[in-house]
């Protein structure tokens, strides 16, 4: 093979390889794949506790469809200050419970099952019941003032967004429940939308 023919083959091959570089886009931080805040959060005072119910977030921090979620961490802190209504800083919370979320994994499993049967996976829809969650804290005491955070996290254990903190002055079914947007609380690191 002559030097000329080697150049004729090498030059086009070089440009083809160069054009293939960077097809994956710019790298991004793992936090951008973490879930947005829980949706439709409801708080119900009970005689012996406080019940929380919510829907799984549908998107990650980038605004793209959520592709993975590990579950939810439920944190609680007692109020600070003379009246007990001072909001504790981010580090002042104790983990009450972790709740697993398998709705995306189940949807992916059902889509793979459809493909194995040569059926269109695009027709497989999410089971809405699998994206509804609840938790009841049965440990508050009468007269106690508490703050709660429900934090979604992905399978890499990267915590997602929190939009609001729930303040509860516990008096059984007559408890006072207040939703406080995180961006209105001094001393807390605001979570981005």
């Amino acid at each position: 093979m002559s030097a000329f023919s080697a150049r004729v083959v090498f030059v086009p091959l070089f440009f083809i390889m160069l054009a293939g570089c960077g097809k994956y886009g710019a790298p991004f931080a793992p936090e951008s794949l973490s879930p947005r805040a829980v949706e439709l959060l409801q708080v119900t005072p009970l005689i012996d506790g406080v019940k929380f119910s919510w829907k799984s977030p549908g998107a990650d921090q980038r605004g793209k469809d959520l592709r993975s979620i590990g579950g939810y961490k439920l944190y609680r802190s007692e109020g600070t200050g003379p009246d007990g209504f001072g909001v504790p800083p981010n580090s002042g919370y104790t983990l009450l419970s972790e709740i697993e979320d398998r709705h995306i994994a189940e949807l992916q499993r059902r889509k793979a099952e459809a493909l194995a049967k040569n059926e269109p996976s695009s027709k497989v829809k999410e089971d809405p019941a699998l994206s509804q969650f609840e938790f009841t804290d049965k440990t508050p005491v009468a007269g106690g003032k508490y703050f709660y955070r429900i934090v979604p996290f992905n399978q890499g254990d990267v915590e997602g967004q929190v939009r609001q903190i729930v303040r509860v002055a516990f008096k059984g079914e007559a408890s006072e429940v207040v939703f406080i947007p995180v961006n209105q609380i001094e001393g807390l690191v605001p979570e981005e939308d």
Side-chain angles (χ1 to χ4, degrees):
M1 183 192 267
S2 72
F4 176 73
S5 61
R7 262 190 247 146
V8 170
V9 170
F10 176 73
V11 171
L13 183 61
F14 173 76
F15 285 111
I16 289 171
M17 289 172 45
L18 185 62
C21 292
K23 290 239 181 213
Y24 295 106
F28 46 84
E31 294 81 20
S32 64
L33 297 176
S34 67
R36 286 198 172 176
V38 299
E39 299 174 359
L40 305 174
L41 177 61
Q42 296 181 348
V43 181
T44 308
L46 306 171
I47 291 173
D48 60 346
V50 183
K51 178 181 172 185
F52 299 85
S53 58
W54 66 92
K55 183 181 182 301
S56 177
D60 63 22
Q61 299 293 341
R62 302 170 302 159
K64 307 259 183 195
D65 284 346
L66 192 59
R67 292 186 166 204
S68 102
I69 189 164
Y72 308 92
K73 294 180 182 178
L74 288 94
Y75 294 101
R76 185 181 82 182
S77 179
E78 293 193 24
T80 61
D83 62 357
F85 282 125
V87 181
N90 286 346
S91 60
Y93 288 81
T94 302
L95 181 65
L96 282 180
S97 182
E98 275 189 32
I99 297 176
E100 183 180 24
D101 182 341
R102 301 225 3 101
H103 87 277
I104 291 177
E106 177 61 19
L107 178 61
Q108 290 169 346
R109 185 195 66 76
R110 289 176 49 221
K111 284 186 174 196
E113 199 174 78
L115 286 173
K117 294 177 184 176
N118 289 326
E119 297 172 355
S121 65
S122 60
K123 294 198 179 210
V124 177
K125 301 297 178 205
E126 180 179 300
D127 180 352
L130 295 178
S131 61
Q132 301 290 329
F133 298 89
E134 61 181 46
F135 171 79
T136 301
D137 179 11
K138 294 196 173 217
T139 61
V141 296
K145 295 178 175 80
Y146 304 97
F147 292 86
Y148 294 89
R149 298 171 64 200
I150 300 177
V151 184
F153 64 93
N154 64 18
Q155 272 115 352
D157 204 33
V158 178
E159 290 190 354
Q161 185 181 53
V162 175
R163 277 199 201 115
Q164 57 195 354
I165 290 176
V166 179
R167 181 181 79 194
V168 177
F170 188 70
K171 303 173 199 163
E173 290 179 325
S175 296
E176 177 189 322
V177 176
V178 177
F179 292 87
I180 306 170
V182 170
N183 62 2
Q184 292 181 6
I185 301 172
E186 273 188 54
L188 288 182
V189 177
E191 308 273 349
E192 294 186 19
D193 273 346

